[in-house]
Amino acid sequence: MLIISPALLLFSLTLMAGTLISISSSSWFLAWLGLELNLLSFIPLITAQKSPFCSEAALKYFLIQAFGSAILLISVTILFVFSVSPKILIFTSLILKMGAAPLHFWLPTIMQGMSWLNCLILMTIQKVAPLVLISLTLCDQTGILFVSVSVFSAIMSGLGGLNQTFLRKLMAYSSINHTAWMLAAISSSTSLWIHYILTYSIISVSVVTIFNQNQMLHIKHLTNLSASPFNKVTLFMTLFSLGGLPPFLGFLPKMSVITNLVQSGFFIWALILTMSALITLFYYIRVAITSLTLNSPKTNQNINSINHKPNWVTLMNLLLLLPLTVLIPL
């Protein structure tokens, strides 16, 4: 029986409330207030699991987010005192809060100390408010700084994930790569990046659910899937969809972003994003091939005693992803 703590439920609700306050605010004070409420609600969720690694991750996350909030307050103060709009400072504080390169250094380290559920929240919900504030406040969205952050995020995420064997760090670099695509989508249209983050959230839920269900933290733990062909197929499909391989669901928003960038004349930007997607697809394939080909000694000894029937989590993933990956592209 699943028992949910009232405190964790309260903090989850206030976390969502902080995001809603930020994206619906009419002033910078309310936007800052929503970001702080979101931060103070996420810290207890990180430390809910009694572990020194979670406490270290919570402390690091608090310091980074507090530094980003300080930069945001300084930029807002400059906005009121002087007539010059400090867009660079505002943009810097927001990319620091959502973990885009070159201010991405904290994201893989902090995610390594979190549980899978908190990693999912950090990859999806915690990016919504900064992305909305960027899309609403930056008028010159295709400036050199905006393009540079997107390109640098794509390059660093592709190169940083190549030598990773920890799955949580791998998903962190994947999140940085998708942040680069979201920034490119913001430069095209608001509806496009909303479509992208919704699609990314659906796929991330499926991937993280499989990892959490089988308690996989390292790439060697993928051998735990060797006795469950249903989990193998689901993980294979979700990773390919996360990498944007056609005809899976993740291909659609990436194709839309590339089409809009090419139509706007940003050929180099589109090329770099496409090359980074191929690099990330390479380490997704490495994870999928590892789960398909390797068997653990424990699994080989108990292969006849394991129940091969899929549980409700696997069936939910299959029922969700099969229609989305097959019907929507058509």
Side-chain angles (χ1 to χ4, degrees):
M1 182 179 179
L2 181 62
I3 300 177
I4 301 177
S5 171
L8 294 181
L9 181 60
L10 174 63
F11 287 126
S12 300
L13 293 176
T14 52
L15 184 142
M16 297 297 297
T19 302
L20 292 176
I21 290 173
S22 294
I23 64 179
S24 60
S25 60
S26 57
S27 65
W28 279 111
F29 175 75
L30 289 178
W32 170 81
L33 184 64
L35 291 173
E36 292 304 302
L37 179 61
N38 182 278
L39 166 63
L40 296 178
S41 301
F42 192 46
I43 296 296
L45 296 180
I46 300 176
T47 57
Q49 187 177 0
K50 304 302 179 181
S51 170
F53 299 104
C54 294
S55 301
E56 180 184 356
L59 179 60
K60 289 180 179 178
Y61 184 77
F62 174 77
L63 293 176
I64 291 295
Q65 296 296 315
F67 183 61
S69 299
I71 297 176
L72 183 61
L73 284 179
I74 292 173
S75 59
V76 171
T77 304
I78 295 175
L79 181 65
F80 282 109
V81 174
F82 302 99
S83 59
V84 179
S85 179
K87 288 185 178 181
I88 296 179
L89 282 178
I90 295 176
F91 187 66
T92 302
S93 65
L94 294 177
I95 65 172
L96 176 63
K97 280 185 166 294
M98 67 180 178
L103 303 177
H104 67 289
F105 53 89
W106 59 272
L107 186 60
T109 305
I110 289 178
M111 280 186 60
Q112 182 61 27
M114 290 183 178
S115 64
W116 274 117
L117 180 59
N118 291 327
C119 288
L120 179 63
I121 295 175
L122 186 58
M123 290 188 299
T124 55
I125 298 176
Q126 298 298 90
K127 292 183 182 295
V128 173
L131 285 171
V132 170
L133 292 176
I134 286 176
S135 64
L136 293 178
T137 57
L138 295 179
C139 299
D140 188 16
Q141 294 175 344
T142 56
I144 185 64
L145 180 63
F146 194 86
V147 177
S148 300
V149 170
S150 177
V151 169
F152 200 66
S153 297
I155 295 175
M156 293 303 298
S157 61
L159 298 179
L162 285 177
N163 60 346
Q164 291 298 327
T165 56
F166 294 98
L167 295 178
R168 285 176 292 189
K169 285 189 176 181
L170 200 66
M171 293 301 295
Y173 283 107
S174 171
S175 176
I176 297 171
N177 182 265
H178 285 281
T179 302
W181 285 88
M182 292 175 197
L183 292 174
I186 288 176
S187 66
S188 301
S189 65
T190 303
S191 59
L192 181 57
W193 84 262
I194 293 176
H195 176 215
Y196 193 104
I197 195 171
L198 287 177
T199 306
Y200 170 67
S201 300
I202 292 173
I203 302 171
S204 297
V205 167
S206 301
V207 176
V208 170
T209 300
I210 298 174
F211 288 157
N212 185 46
Q213 174 195 357
N214 296 276
Q215 294 299 308
M216 293 187 293
L217 303 176
H218 194 272
I219 195 169
K220 66 182 179 181
H221 296 158
L222 293 168
T223 55
N224 298 337
L225 292 175
S226 57
S228 177
F230 299 98
N231 283 337
K232 285 183 180 181
V233 173
T234 308
L235 181 62
F236 204 80
M237 292 177 60
T238 50
L239 287 176
F240 276 7
S241 184
L242 191 64
L245 188 70
F248 295 100
L249 176 63
F251 171 72
L252 292 179
K254 288 189 176 182
M255 189 62 196
S256 301
V257 172
I258 292 173
T259 302
N260 282 274
L261 289 179
V262 171
Q263 290 177 352
S264 302
F266 297 103
F267 300 102
I268 304 299
W269 194 1
L271 179 63
I272 294 175
L273 289 177
T274 306
M275 293 298 103
S276 69
L278 292 178
I279 298 175
T280 56
L281 188 60
F282 170 76
Y283 55 74
Y284 293 148
I285 293 175
R286 184 182 63 177
V287 172
I289 293 298
T290 303
S291 65
L292 287 174
T293 57
L294 295 184
N295 290 326
S296 64
K298 181 180 178 181
T299 304
N300 289 332
Q301 294 173 2
N302 302 321
I303 193 71
N304 295 323
S305 62
I306 294 179
N307 185 11
H308 296 275
K309 295 181 180 180
N311 56 17
W312 67 271
V313 178
T314 308
L315 288 176
M316 179 188 69
N317 281 327
L318 286 174
L319 292 176
L320 176 66
L321 286 175
L322 280 176
L324 290 178
T325 54
V326 176
L327 296 180
I328 289 183
L330 296 178

